[in-house]
Amino acid sequence: DIQMTQSPSSLSASVGDRVTITCRASQGIRNDLGWYQQKPGKAPKRLIYAASSLQSGVPSRFSGSGSGTEFTLTISSLQPEDFATYYCLQHNSYPFTFGPGTKVDIK
Amino acid sequence: EVQLVESGGGLVQPGGSLRLSCAASGFTFSSYEMNWVRQAPGKGLEWVSYISSSGSTIYYADSVKGRFTISRDNAKNSLYLQMNSLRAEDTAVYYCAREDDFDYWGQGTLVTVSS
């Protein structure tokens, strides 16, 4: 099975900050990775697909990069509505696996 | 507009059974792969099961293999998860999600396994 790790597990940031979250796969997954945002009590929402493609309707301050085993999600200027938990997901091979999540809260 | 609406959750005793449904609309359901994902209270996301568009290919997480059965009815635009021999650790919100890249998700349905 492919293991996904995320760092950091949590971070505190201020509105306007640049935030970077890293996801690492235990083996190469090409670009078969998505990033998801989840707010309390809500379903996850896809932000990025194919590692670097922005989901339609998602603000351009979100961006993704990487391929193979290392991936990043960057929020260029954190907004109040961005405080949430972020997950990566590999869909290269079964069983599909999520990262453990990164909680972004207000400093 | 793509919509996925789960139903069928509730309180069930350990060892019991439950059948979840996911009603799809706004897209050609028969053309899309589907998944179930769950989230235990206060925990992260866990993929549970996958079914191909025709239903001919199915995968399960080891944690549910032999106890859960995924199925679909393309004529009814519906996805199902039959859950048997339920355990306390199956307590979670269960989401259906479209395609193998999980582009759209339902709002989830809560399953609580407790005596």
Side-chain angles (χ1 to χ4, degrees):
Chain A
D1 298 1
I2 297 174
Q3 309 303 317
M4 304 299 292
T5 58
Q6 272 183 250
S7 60
S9 56
S10 65
L11 65 92
S12 294
S14 301
V15 173
D17 283 354
R18 181 181 181 89
V19 169
T20 298
I21 298 168
T22 298
C23 184
R24 290 185 174 87
S26 60
Q27 58 188 267
I29 59 170
R30 303 180 306 185
N31 69 337
D32 297 329
L33 182 117
W35 287 98
Y36 297 81
Q37 177 193 66
Q38 188 179 34
K39 296 181 179 179
K42 300 294 186 181
K45 171 189 170 184
R46 191 170 74 169
L47 304 174
I48 300 289
Y49 64 95
S52 59
S53 296
L54 189 66
Q55 178 75 23
S56 175
V58 172
S60 59
R61 62 181 179 272
F62 291 93
S63 64
S65 65
S67 183
T69 61
E70 188 156 334
F71 303 86
T72 60
L73 173 71
T74 300
I75 310 172
S76 60
S77 178
L78 199 65
Q79 297 302 300
E81 61 268 30
D82 300 337
F83 293 96
T85 301
Y86 294 84
Y87 295 93
C88 59
L89 163 68
Q90 73 81 17
H91 56 91
N92 176 264
S93 64
Y94 294 96
F96 292 157
T97 42
F98 290 88
T102 296
K103 185 175 182 180
V104 177
D105 61 20
I106 302 172
K107 182 184 282 185
Chain B
E1 179 194 4
V2 172
Q3 283 202 323
L4 298 169
V5 179
E6 301 92 339
S7 61
L11 175 64
V12 61
Q13 293 188 336
S17 298
L18 214 52
R19 187 196 197 205
L20 306 184
S21 299
C22 170
S25 60
F27 64 101
T28 304
F29 180 71
S30 59
S31 297
Y32 287 83
E33 303 157 315
M34 296 294 296
N35 293 272
W36 287 100
V37 176
R38 69 183 180 183
Q39 187 170 37
K43 302 298 185 182
L45 299 164
E46 178 189 17
W47 170 78
V48 172
S49 185
Y50 158 94
I51 187 167
S52 63
S53 57
S54 66
S56 60
T57 301
I58 286 172
Y59 298 110
Y60 297 101
D62 285 346
S63 57
V64 306
K65 201 174 295 182
R67 301 187 299 122
F68 290 12
T69 302
I70 191 172
S71 63
R72 65 190 296 159
D73 185 335
N74 286 341
K76 294 184 177 180
N77 292 335
S78 292
L79 174 73
Y80 305 103
L81 186 68
Q82 177 67 43
M83 304 186 296
N84 298 331
S85 303
L86 283 161
R87 307 166 180 167
E89 54 265 36
D90 296 318
T91 294
V93 174
Y94 285 74
Y95 298 99
C96 58
R98 194 181 77 162
E99 269 295 272
D100 67 348
D101 60 356
F102 300 74
D103 57 354
Y104 288 94
W105 298 57
Q107 86 289 348
T109 187
L110 176 62
V111 172
T112 303
V113 184
S114 174
S115 55

